[in-house]
Amino acid sequence: MIDVDSFEPFYRNAMNLKIVLAQTDSLVGNASANFNRIFEIVTQVHNSLAFDLIVFPELCITGYPPEDLLFRRDFISESNNVIFELANIAPEIGIVVGFSEFDGEKLYNSAAVLSQGSVCAIYRKQKLPNYGVFDEQRYFTAGGEPCVFEFKGQFIGLNICEDVWNFDVVQKTKEAGADILLTLNASPFHSGKAQQRESLIGSHAKATNLPIIYVNCVGGQDELIFDGASFVANAEGEIVFRAAEFEEQISVVEFENGQPIQTICAPIYTPICSDYKALVCGIRDYVRKNGFKGAILGLSGGIDSALVLALAVDALGAENVEAVSLPSKYTLEMSSGDAKTQAEIMGVNYHSISIEPAVKAFTQMLAEIFAGTPNDTTEENIQARCRGVVLMAMSNKQGKLLLTTGNKSEMSVGYATLYGDMCGGFAPLKDVPKLLVYDLARYRNSLSPVIPERVLTRPPSAELAPNQCDSDSLPPYEILDPILARYIEQNQTADEIIAAGFMIEDVTRVIRLVDGSEYKRRQSATGIRISERAFGRDRRYPITSGYHGV
Amino acid sequence: MIDVDSFEPFYRNAMNLKIVLAQTDSLVGNASANFNRIFEIVTQVHNSLAFDLIVFPELCITGYPPEDLLFRRDFISESNNVIFELANIAPEIGIVVGFSEFDGEKLYNSAAVLSQGSVCAIYRKQKLPNYGVFDEQRYFTAGGEPCVFEFKGQFIGLNICEDVWNFDVVQKTKEAGADILLTLNASPFHSGKAQQRESLIGSHAKATNLPIIYVNCVGGQDELIFDGASFVANAEGEIVFRAAEFEEQISVVEFENGQPIQTICAPIYTPICSDYKALVCGIRDYVRKNGFKGAILGLSGGIDSALVLALAVDALGAENVEAVSLPSKYTLEMSSGDAKTQAEIMGVNYHSISIEPAVKAFTQMLAEIFAGTPNDTTEENIQARCRGVVLMAMSNKQGKLLLTTGNKSEMSVGYATLYGDMCGGFAPLKDVPKLLVYDLARYRNSLSPVIPERVLTRPPSAELAPNQCDSDSLPPYEILDPILARYIEQNQTADEIIAAGFMIEDVTRVIRLVDGSEYKRRQSATGIRISERAFGRDRRYPITSGYHGV
């Protein structure tokens, strides 16, 4: 239990206040590493800049989300106790950090204000999200009270993330005497989220006539991307400062007479650009934080692996990426050619290994047992799995992460081979529908041409049978993707989708495929979430299920 | 929104009451199938038995747990509306069912009392578990009030599952006037759970002087097993009736002057027997509910696959199980021999396919790239993955479920090959530590000898390298298993485990292996939960993690 010492501000009635927004990336699970990083930042900023208060994101001591690590006694006790050490590193300024507070019995998602060598205030998050990707009621007890502390003559209120999305919490913090509202956040990205935050929280600032400082964390953590884009809204709800998206950034905002002064706003990226940057951030941080020596992927000559290669190179540098072409007798010349061309353009290590010897071996091994049965997807799966074995062997031997290249459309309908092309530790496109794969590839080529044009224009094919096309098994992506978005992301019923103008045959076919593919998704690699409902923490379906969407 | 009609009991002050406990299995996600089943049971029992009230388990209309299907409008509306139809099937009796109640805005985990063609009472669960395997606060709003209804002169209170574990809820239901407490449950099995339930709920019965009727569901649902073992405790807390474990059962208990009359209690199985039966139930229901044509598994001659074969045959019948031996040059004669012997004893379809041609093909395909590198686990993994390809091909071709045979000890320390021996749709032993594997095998042999004795006595080996033994890579299972139980199931710290008498070297080694294997577990097949913390819904760890248990 942390005792909150009575707090004596050292000079009252100052009219100006400089607040540093520390938009940082924490490593989930390592309180001492995160403490060291905070220590380093505070020391560094303190040496180079005059300021009063520095604010770090929600749960910056544990990283977010710490998940069931919060049930480990050594972890919560370390995360709790490290706060005391922080109080002493720069006594004359105020440091605000998010941490898991353990009072000996219950756990709170809290923010501490540290100054003059002691803990001056602690706020306990009141609204614990337990929907979508969030499970906070599994771990934390909700706080019941607003918290306003006096600092250099200003009364500053504290909120944590979900709190500030609830007008009543903001309102009550204002009523408790806040002149400025500080919010600590770990708000994960999805497409359009930055705009959504500024719009809603700006409106709360305006309605309560309360400037709001919004400090978000940044970086990739398994499927989640934290996009930063910290901001300050003035009492009119106008955004007077915005930090960059997808980057750590330490920024200072000055308050004069209780109002923030307009300063430089980083641009909000276009949707396609922020999606691209989110994917790059996700790959970079998964590889870096898990200590891989680089990444490897199968490069087929198709659009999915072409995009993943571009993303991986942008995330890790060409020298850390290896591409492998794995042709079979069904692989067209143009596929191998385009794969090689892109690998050369991007300057990555490239190999080509025919899978035919392994396919032949398995075919012979199974000949007796399969005698008299017609060819079916079994034979296609064998090819995909031979590729998986080769790629995994290269990954194992070199300590490189295998990136699996399937997209969200495929993951939705199960158009992928379990233990085949689904092999891999991380799935960058898991939440990227096929049409968006094309858009992202075109976007990347608009920066510099890296993906051969033919890859963008030829009809997509798995090349597991002669002259195979995706459209043999699936409706065209122009039909498929919108049906999937309605069924999966918007939870629409079949009737609603049909009413929106889609053909009953297409809707029925697609929904049946989605309903029947849960078992594949359950064993799929973690991938990057960019939509409001990815196949991960925010979509929890039973495998055994009698539900039929049609 | 369901209106609760005012309820007129048709004869008051009757001293006797016959209550039917319907310990049934529902199919998650299919409200109409579950309705039909309830209809069928009520009709059947009604025709053959005089009784007053029939009680079904918690959420028997949706199945448990319905997970995110509860976000689908068509599903929740069907699950809600089906209640009205039930009210009319046998007007002169009372039917109590658990259902997801949707009031147009919020969702409740509710119980409805149906009689005389109308809904006589609705109770909304007050305590929503959001820990362990439970996520009920993700879906439901908690009810705030007790519910007592009058039925044939008796005042009957309603509770749902978690409620009755809380003394204050039981107490308040009593205070609201209940003479008898009816509880609807979906309480998942773990070893010793039946005894735990009877002991705690019996003590609540005694403390409140209130007879408690506990109706549990039964059957396997993905990783969860519901064990039934419904019971009745009298007002002294004594168990006067118990239904069988792991079986559907319709039983009648008579109340005389408000007290239940002692009747036949099914035995509570020994721990080893209930674990075995739980595993059989899990396999049977996964195969049946998912519509597989049977099961297939790789039979190595080792203890794990030997036990899985026995379980599968007991669950599905020998005619529905196929065993495949997949020898390599490292497979000992005795392994192949013992595999064949067991397959013959158990009367299953058996094949032996050498993996050497495929291993050789991959070795040659990778020779150039791997030139100059020493052999390591990569080469071992290739063998395991070749087995995976063959087994998956047979599974795909025949529509049979591939059972993966790894145990909890291996899953804990990552002693398994991803996409190799981890291939498979269902993992019966995922929550069974190696020492318990031996105990279960001995238990099964005590019923009738099916596993060759040598399989039980020889040292365990993965046979992926010459003369390999598990003990080359891992501490002996007598050391490993207790450390794992303390670290994973009991969340003990390294210091606590060392203080309990384990060597620091062993503890350090084991914890490092566990911490580093999360990525493998994330892509592992769903398996049956028999402990208080399995690798599934009740253990949610980040892959990317700076946490080190040592």
Side-chain angles (χ1 to χ4, degrees):
Chain A
M1 169 102 193
I2 291 176
D3 292 314
V4 177
D5 301 322
S6 66
F7 174 60
E8 281 300 317
F10 26 97
Y11 57 99
R12 288 181 174 274
N13 302 319
M15 303 305 272
N16 285 15
L17 203 59
K18 280 189 178 165
I19 299 181
V20 174
L21 285 71
Q23 173 176 301
T24 51
D25 185 4
S26 290
L27 178 59
V28 162
N30 198 324
S32 64
N34 294 330
F35 165 82
N36 290 339
R37 178 100 176 96
I38 291 169
F39 180 91
E40 192 181 281
I41 290 170
V42 171
T43 313
Q44 210 174 328
V45 180
H46 194 43
N47 288 341
S48 61
L49 202 69
F51 69 94
D52 303 294
L53 203 58
I54 182 165
V55 188
F56 288 86
E58 178 182 16
L59 287 183
C60 56
I61 302 291
T62 60
Y64 195 93
E67 304 190 59
D68 281 8
L69 292 173
L70 291 174
F71 296 141
R72 302 217 71 97
R73 282 184 292 276
D74 50 356
F75 179 62
I76 58 172
S77 117
E78 187 184 21
S79 305
N80 190 73
N81 298 341
V82 89
I83 294 301
F84 294 104
E85 299 178 48
L86 272 180
N88 291 309
I89 60 175
E92 68 279 25
I93 56 157
I95 305 174
V96 185
V97 292
F99 75 116
S100 59
E101 181 199 355
F102 184 58
D103 71 356
E105 196 186 336
K106 290 175 178 165
L107 203 62
Y108 302 90
N109 181 339
S110 295
V113 183
L114 312 159
S115 191
Q116 295 181 288
S118 64
V119 178
C120 312
I122 286 184
Y123 169 69
R124 293 168 172 174
K125 189 175 185 177
Q126 299 179 69
K127 297 285 179 185
L128 299 174
N130 207 64
Y131 58 82
V133 301
F134 303 108
D135 284 304
E136 291 198 18
Q137 290 168 26
R138 181 174 170 88
Y139 308 107
F140 298 114
T141 300
E145 286 171 33
C147 169
V148 177
F149 63 99
E150 195 185 351
F151 193 79
K152 301 198 177 179
Q154 301 279 338
F155 289 89
I156 301 177
L158 286 174
N159 273 189
I160 301 176
C161 212
E162 189 76 7
D163 290 331
V164 77
W165 294 76
N166 290 273
F167 181 71
D168 62 313
V169 180
V170 178
Q171 177 77 15
K172 280 185 182 144
T173 313
K174 165 87 177 183
E175 285 166 9
D179 298 323
I180 297 172
L181 182 57
L182 265 190
T183 72
L184 290 72
N185 304 274
S187 175
F189 170 80
H190 62 73
S191 214
K193 184 76 170 283
Q195 294 86 331
Q196 196 185 342
R197 279 186 211 118
E198 290 185 3
S199 157
L200 186 87
I201 289 153
S203 79
H204 289 177
K206 189 175 178 185
T208 51
N209 194 36
L210 190 62
I212 298 180
I213 300 172
Y214 186 100
V215 180
N216 195 16
C217 62
V218 72
Q221 168 60 27
D222 291 345
E223 71 186 65
L224 299 181
I225 305 298
F226 297 93
D227 53 331
S230 301
F231 64 90
V232 176
N234 67 18
E236 283 77 50
E238 297 155 351
I239 305 305
V240 297
F241 165 75
R242 182 186 306 116
E245 291 185 89
F246 308 108
E247 282 171 32
E248 286 199 314
Q249 187 176 320
I250 310 296
S251 328
V252 61
V253 172
E254 193 163 358
F255 280 70
E256 215 173 71
N257 298 321
Q259 289 304 318
I261 301 173
Q262 174 79 47
T263 178
I264 297 164
C265 286
I268 285 197
Y269 296 120
T270 59
I272 194 76
C273 172
S274 68
D275 285 349
Y276 193 90
K277 283 182 183 282
L279 297 173
V280 168
C281 172
I283 296 172
R284 184 196 63 208
D285 285 354
Y286 192 89
V287 168
R288 179 173 62 85
K289 293 180 181 177
N290 286 294
F292 285 101
K293 293 177 186 155
I296 188 170
L297 73 155
L299 191 66
S300 69
I303 186 72
D304 298 322
S305 58
L307 177 60
V308 173
L309 176 58
L311 288 163
V313 169
D314 289 345
L316 309 171
E319 67 282 12
N320 295 312
V321 180
E322 189 163 354
V324 189
S325 166
L326 294 152
S328 76
K329 60 184 173 191
Y330 303 123
T331 304
L332 299 182
E333 197 70 43
M334 72 168 160
S335 303
S336 308
D338 289 344
K340 188 154 189 258
T341 304
Q342 187 187 357
E344 283 168 2
I345 294 172
M346 304 212 78
V348 298
N349 197 351
Y350 172 80
H351 307 276
S352 177
I353 300 171
S354 163
I355 59 164
E356 281 304 321
V359 173
K360 206 168 152 192
F362 285 116
T363 308
Q364 285 166 356
M365 287 156 64
L366 289 159
E368 197 181 321
I369 286 179
F370 287 180
T373 65
N375 272 15
D376 54 22
T377 50
T378 304
E379 284 72 18
E380 301 187 11
N381 287 336
I382 288 174
Q383 297 167 57
R385 291 187 181 123
C386 287
R387 295 194 171 101
V389 174
V390 174
L391 289 168
M392 283 304 297
M394 294 180 69
S395 163
N396 289 163
K397 190 64 100 185
Q398 305 176 40
K400 288 181 180 168
L401 171 69
L402 175 58
L403 295 170
T404 177
T405 62
N407 61 58
K408 189 176 194 176
S409 309
E410 292 173 0
M411 260 310 95
S412 301
V413 295
Y415 195 64
T417 300
L418 197 53
Y419 323 127
D421 50 307
M422 286 176 65
C423 281
F426 201 59
L429 306 185
K430 189 173 181 183
D431 199 31
V432 183
K434 189 77 170 189
L435 295 180
L436 184 54
V437 170
Y438 282 102
D439 289 345
L440 286 164
R442 279 188 214 101
Y443 164 77
R444 179 59 187 83
N445 269 3
S446 76
L447 306 179
S448 64
V450 291
I451 299 169
E453 195 53 30
R454 188 165 56 184
V455 177
L456 283 150
T457 51
R458 60 178 286 205
S461 163
E463 294 193 332
L464 294 169
N467 306 314
Q468 192 177 40
C469 269
D470 290 10
S471 54
D472 303 339
S473 314
L474 302 171
Y477 288 108
E478 290 72 18
I479 304 287
L480 177 63
D481 279 4
I483 294 177
L484 292 173
R486 285 168 185 273
Y487 187 63
I488 294 164
E489 286 166 36
Q490 297 159 42
N491 264 341
Q492 290 188 3
T493 63
D495 288 346
E496 288 168 335
I497 302 172
I498 293 161
F502 292 89
M503 280 182 7
I504 189 166
E505 297 74 27
D506 287 335
V507 174
T508 303
R509 185 171 164 208
V510 171
I511 288 183
R512 285 206 179 128
L513 289 168
V514 174
D515 289 347
S517 306
E518 195 52 40
Y519 72 102
K520 283 192 187 178
R521 287 190 286 270
R522 196 65 73 88
Q523 293 190 44
S524 64
T526 294
I528 301 165
R529 176 178 182 266
I530 62 164
S531 77
E532 287 198 67
R533 186 170 287 119
F535 291 124
R537 298 165 57 91
D538 47 353
R539 190 176 185 277
R540 306 178 189 180
Y541 268 59
I543 297 176
T544 303
S545 170
Y547 175 77
H548 301 293
V550 282
Chain B
M1 169 98 193
I2 292 177
D3 292 314
V4 176
D5 301 321
S6 66
F7 173 60
E8 280 301 317
F10 25 98
Y11 57 100
R12 287 180 176 275
N13 303 319
M15 303 306 272
N16 285 15
L17 203 60
K18 281 189 179 166
I19 300 182
V20 173
L21 285 72
Q23 173 175 301
T24 50
D25 185 6
S26 290
L27 178 59
V28 162
N30 198 324
S32 66
N34 294 330
F35 166 82
N36 290 338
R37 178 100 176 97
I38 292 169
F39 181 90
E40 194 181 280
I41 290 169
V42 171
T43 313
Q44 211 173 324
V45 180
H46 195 42
N47 288 341
S48 61
L49 202 66
F51 69 93
D52 303 294
L53 203 60
I54 182 167
V55 188
F56 288 87
E58 178 182 15
L59 288 182
C60 57
I61 302 291
T62 60
Y64 195 93
E67 306 191 58
D68 280 9
L69 291 173
L70 290 173
F71 295 141
R72 300 217 73 97
R73 280 184 294 275
D74 49 358
F75 179 62
I76 59 173
S77 118
E78 188 185 20
S79 305
N80 190 72
N81 298 341
V82 90
I83 295 301
F84 294 105
E85 298 178 48
L86 272 181
N88 291 309
I89 59 175
E92 69 278 25
I93 56 156
I95 305 174
V96 185
V97 292
F99 75 117
S100 59
E101 180 199 356
F102 184 58
D103 72 356
E105 195 186 335
K106 290 173 179 165
L107 203 61
Y108 301 91
N109 182 340
S110 295
V113 182
L114 312 159
S115 190
Q116 296 182 288
S118 64
V119 178
C120 313
I122 285 184
Y123 169 70
R124 293 169 172 173
K125 187 175 185 178
Q126 299 179 68
K127 298 285 178 187
L128 299 174
N130 206 65
Y131 58 82
V133 301
F134 302 107
D135 284 304
E136 291 197 19
Q137 290 169 26
R138 180 175 170 89
Y139 309 106
F140 298 113
T141 301
E145 285 172 34
C147 170
V148 177
F149 63 100
E150 194 185 350
F151 192 80
K152 302 200 177 179
Q154 301 279 339
F155 290 89
I156 301 177
L158 286 173
N159 273 190
I160 300 176
C161 212
E162 189 76 7
D163 290 331
V164 77
W165 294 76
N166 290 273
F167 182 72
D168 62 313
V169 179
V170 178
Q171 177 77 15
K172 280 183 183 144
T173 313
K174 165 86 177 185
E175 286 165 10
D179 298 323
I180 296 173
L181 181 58
L182 265 190
T183 72
L184 289 72
N185 305 274
S187 174
F189 170 80
H190 62 72
S191 213
K193 185 76 169 281
Q195 293 87 332
Q196 196 185 343
R197 279 185 210 118
E198 291 186 2
S199 157
L200 188 86
I201 289 153
S203 78
H204 289 175
K206 189 176 179 185
T208 52
N209 194 34
L210 190 63
I212 299 180
I213 299 172
Y214 186 100
V215 180
N216 196 16
C217 62
V218 73
Q221 168 60 28
D222 290 347
E223 71 185 64
L224 299 182
I225 305 298
F226 297 94
D227 53 331
S230 301
F231 64 90
V232 176
N234 68 16
E236 284 77 49
E238 296 155 351
I239 304 305
V240 296
F241 166 75
R242 182 188 305 117
E245 291 186 89
F246 308 109
E247 282 172 32
E248 286 200 316
Q249 186 176 320
I250 310 295
S251 328
V252 62
V253 172
E254 192 163 0
F255 280 69
E256 215 172 72
N257 298 320
Q259 289 303 318
I261 301 174
Q262 174 79 46
T263 178
I264 296 164
C265 286
I268 285 197
Y269 296 120
T270 59
I272 195 76
C273 172
S274 68
D275 284 351
Y276 194 89
K277 283 184 181 280
L279 298 173
V280 168
C281 172
I283 295 172
R284 183 196 63 210
D285 286 355
Y286 192 89
V287 168
R288 178 174 64 85
K289 293 181 181 178
N290 286 292
F292 285 100
K293 291 176 188 154
I296 189 171
L297 73 154
L299 192 67
S300 68
I303 186 74
D304 298 323
S305 57
L307 177 60
V308 173
L309 177 58
L311 289 163
V313 170
D314 289 344
L316 309 171
E319 67 282 13
N320 295 312
V321 180
E322 189 164 355
V324 189
S325 166
L326 294 153
S328 75
K329 62 182 171 191
Y330 302 123
T331 305
L332 299 181
E333 198 70 43
M334 71 168 161
S335 304
S336 309
D338 289 343
K340 188 154 187 259
T341 303
Q342 187 187 357
E344 282 167 3
I345 295 172
M346 304 212 77
V348 299
N349 197 350
Y350 172 81
H351 307 277
S352 177
I353 301 171
S354 163
I355 58 164
E356 281 303 321
V359 173
K360 205 169 153 192
F362 284 118
T363 307
Q364 285 166 357
M365 287 156 64
L366 289 159
E368 196 182 323
I369 286 178
F370 285 0
T373 64
N375 272 16
D376 54 22
T377 50
T378 304
E379 284 71 18
E380 301 187 11
N381 288 336
I382 288 174
Q383 298 167 57
R385 289 187 181 121
C386 286
R387 294 194 172 101
V389 174
V390 174
L391 289 168
M392 283 304 297
M394 293 180 69
S395 163
N396 289 163
K397 189 64 98 184
Q398 306 176 41
K400 287 182 181 168
L401 171 69
L402 175 58
L403 295 170
T404 177
T405 61
N407 60 58
K408 188 176 195 176
S409 309
E410 292 173 1
M411 260 309 97
S412 301
V413 295
Y415 196 65
T417 300
L418 198 52
Y419 323 128
D421 50 306
M422 286 176 64
C423 281
F426 200 60
L429 305 186
K430 190 175 181 182
D431 199 32
V432 183
K434 188 77 171 189
L435 295 180
L436 185 55
V437 171
Y438 281 102
D439 289 344
L440 286 164
R442 278 188 214 103
Y443 165 77
R444 178 59 187 84
N445 269 3
S446 76
L447 306 180
S448 64
V450 291
I451 300 169
E453 196 51 32
R454 188 166 54 184
V455 176
L456 283 150
T457 51
R458 61 179 285 206
S461 163
E463 295 193 332
L464 294 169
N467 306 315
Q468 192 176 39
C469 269
D470 290 11
S471 55
D472 304 339
S473 314
L474 301 173
Y477 288 108
E478 289 72 18
I479 304 287
L480 178 63
D481 279 4
I483 295 177
L484 292 172
R486 286 168 184 272
Y487 188 63
I488 294 164
E489 287 166 36
Q490 298 159 42
N491 264 341
Q492 290 189 3
T493 64
D495 288 346
E496 288 167 336
I497 302 171
I498 293 162
F502 292 90
M503 281 184 3
I504 189 166
E505 298 72 27
D506 288 334
V507 174
T508 304
R509 186 172 162 207
V510 171
I511 288 183
R512 286 207 178 125
L513 289 169
V514 174
D515 289 349
S517 306
E518 195 51 40
Y519 72 102
K520 283 192 186 177
R521 287 190 286 270
R522 198 65 74 88
Q523 293 190 42
S524 64
T526 293
I528 301 165
R529 176 179 182 266
I530 61 164
S531 77
E532 287 198 68
R533 185 170 288 120
F535 292 123
R537 298 165 56 91
D538 48 352
R539 190 178 185 274
R540 306 178 188 178
Y541 268 59
I543 298 176
T544 302
S545 170
Y547 176 76
H548 302 293
V550 283

